[in-house]
Amino acid sequence: MAKRIQGKHIKHSANTKPFTETQASSVFLIKSTTPYVSSLKRITNALDKFNKTKSNIKKYQNEQFKNVKYITVKGMSKTILKVLSLGIHFQEKNYKVDILTGSVEVLDEFIPGQSSKDKEGEADSSSDEDDDDDDDDDRIYKKRMVSSIELRIWIKRT
């Protein structure tokens, strides 16, 4: 088993690219802190905007948004159960739902704990600007694989 690193653990997001305007309105990332009901409402509102008969917003009927065939809901590790619950809800509402599973590589950052020797020296040299550069050298980066799930909720264009 791998040696455990003592110190502060900083988790980084798996997303590396910013979303386009179309993706921002059709892709939802669910975190463990995201409330179930608010994510349900956000996805329902997005589905209503893309629906021709219910939508009063012409923006969602232009060529750019007509190419969107489904709403994507993504989650990792702890949120898999919440994302699956959302998928079941929309299946019961007669939407076609595809479920894709996989793994995502994420980067974890560790800042090792300071020893008592470092803490004593810190009081004397706290005004030095060189300490900030030294902190970057002490950081440890590790990659790990995390299970992920993606829902595709198909838009009903009637």
Side-chain angles (χ1 to χ4, degrees), residues 116-129 131:
S116 60
K117 182 177 136 183
D118 291 336
K119 288 181 182 177
E120 291 172 6
E122 184 180 275
D124 299 322
S125 63
S126 61
S127 61
D128 292 341
E129 293 179 12
D131 289 341

Side-chain angles (χ1 to χ4, degrees), residues 11-29:
K11 295 180 182 179
H12 291 277
S13 174
N15 298 333
T16 55
K17 298 180 211 172
F19 286 148
T20 62
E21 183 183 2
T22 309
Q23 288 175 330
S25 60
S26 65
V27 176
F28 296 92
L29 304 177

Side-chain angles (χ1 to χ4, degrees), residues 1-120:
M1 192 165 180
K3 183 181 170 188
R4 182 148 177 97
I5 300 171
Q6 298 298 322
K8 186 176 180 183
H9 181 199
I10 302 170
K11 295 180 182 179
H12 291 277
S13 174
N15 298 333
T16 55
K17 298 180 211 172
F19 286 148
T20 62
E21 183 183 2
T22 309
Q23 288 175 330
S25 60
S26 65
V27 176
F28 296 92
L29 304 177
I30 305 297
K31 299 190 309 185
S32 60
T33 57
T34 306
Y36 177 79
V37 175
S38 68
S39 58
L40 192 65
K41 288 179 182 179
R42 285 178 43 216
I43 295 167
T44 304
N45 287 340
L47 288 168
D48 288 343
K49 286 178 187 175
F50 283 104
N51 190 353
K52 279 185 184 177
T53 57
K54 294 183 181 178
S55 180
N56 294 332
I57 304 171
K58 292 184 179 182
K59 170 185 172 183
Y60 290 97
Q61 302 307 321
N62 68 18
E63 286 300 317
Q64 177 181 348
F65 289 98
K66 278 188 178 179
N67 294 334
V68 176
K69 307 232 183 289
Y70 50 81
I71 300 290
T72 306
V73 182
K74 296 181 180 182
M76 296 187 307
S77 63
K78 288 195 296 187
T79 62
I80 288 176
L81 186 61
K82 192 181 291 185
V83 172
L84 283 174
S85 297
L86 289 167
I88 290 170
H89 174 80
F90 285 104
Q91 274 185 335
E92 290 172 353
K93 298 274 187 182
N94 296 326
Y95 282 94
K96 180 184 173 196
V97 177
D98 293 339
I99 301 171
L100 305 170
T101 60
S103 297
V104 177
E105 191 174 72
V106 295
L107 181 69
D108 290 338
E109 179 180 355
F110 295 94
I111 302 174
Q114 295 177 333
S115 65
S116 60
K117 182 177 136 183
D118 291 336
K119 288 181 182 177
E120 291 172 6

Side-chain angles (χ1 to χ4, degrees), residues 132-148:
D132 294 337
D133 296 335
D134 294 339
D135 289 340
D136 292 339
D137 297 335
D138 294 340
R139 294 173 190 247
I140 299 169
Y141 296 95
K142 291 210 171 190
K143 291 182 182 178
R144 66 183 168 106
M145 297 300 286
V146 177
S147 57
S148 67

